């Protein structure tokens, strides 16, 4: 599952292929849409939740509120079912999906970080990220990414900075699950299911506020 972008996306993978998936784009309703999506995917696959042997959650980077919905839900499922919970970079899932769609490297991935910024990373190919994810203004990285295709909604939002925008725009849990299954089968360790925020949340305690107490 992944809720690090406006897409609320869930998939069920049997170790060889995706057997059911669901995706809806709504930046304000992650909490409302995620569990019904899980139910829908399980029903489509004809299995119950206790058939799940592991959970993979996108760790972002992404906005605080949406991202924590998926990670808390994944942790809850892991605890209730006594199964492992793995993390995977959301940008890696987008890169992998782009590769499945025929895009060859090198390229970059960029998602909307709001505040006129993007979360982004550079890739040698669909499976190989060449640095850590970062958050920047598009104009500040346009020169560094000049000539490269850029995958994701971040590229579509800022065509002046990223003229060669490619799909998919949003991550799909099916691609995330397939990449996780591939890495696990190869004996690779996945990330801990901890959020990758890259910056502080919008809501913060005001500085220098006055304490009002009754006399």
């Amino acid at each position: 599952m992944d809720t690090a972008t406006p897409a609320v996306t869930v998939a069920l993978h049997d170790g060889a292929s995706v057997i059911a998936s669901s995706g809806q784009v709504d930046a304000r309703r992650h909490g409302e849409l995620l569990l019904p999506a899980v139910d829908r995917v399980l029903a489509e696959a004809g299995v119950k939740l206790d058939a799940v042997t592991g959970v993979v959650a996108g760790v972002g980077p992404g906005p605080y509120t949406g991202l924590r919905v998926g990670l808390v839900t994944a942790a809850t499922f892991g605890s209730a079912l006594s199964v492992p919970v793995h993390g995977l970079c959301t940008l890696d899932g987008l890169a992998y999906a782009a590769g499945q769609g025929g895009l060859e490297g090198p390229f970059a991935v960029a998602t909307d970080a709001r505040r006129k910024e993007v979360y982004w990373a550079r890739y040698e190919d669909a499976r190989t990220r060449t640095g850590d994810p970062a958050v920047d203004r598009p104009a500040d990285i346009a020169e560094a990414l000049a000539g490269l295709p850029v995958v994701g909604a971040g590229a579509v939002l800022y065509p002046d900075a990223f003229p060669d925008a490619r799909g998919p725009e949003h991550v799909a849990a099916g691609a995330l699950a397939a990449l996780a299954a591939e890495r696990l089968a190869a004996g690779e360790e996945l990330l801990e299911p901890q959020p990758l925020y890259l910056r502080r949340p919008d809501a913060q305690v005001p500085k220098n506020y006055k304490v009002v107490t009754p006399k």
Side-chain angles (χ1 to χ4, degrees), residues 10-79:
V10 176
L12 192 65
H13 197 281
D14 66 2
S17 62
V18 175
I19 56 176
S21 63
S22 172
Q24 294 173 269
V25 177
D26 191 326
R28 298 180 181 275
R29 299 175 62 218
H30 292 87
E32 296 175 46
L33 297 176
L34 183 57
L35 289 179
V38 172
D39 288 341
R40 196 160 51 246
V41 165
L42 292 172
E44 181 182 334
V47 301
K48 296 194 179 295
L49 185 61
D50 59 9
V52 172
T53 58
V55 181
V56 174
V59 301
Y64 178 80
T65 302
L67 182 53
R68 69 177 180 175
V69 169
L71 288 171
V72 168
T73 302
T76 301
F77 284 160
S79 177

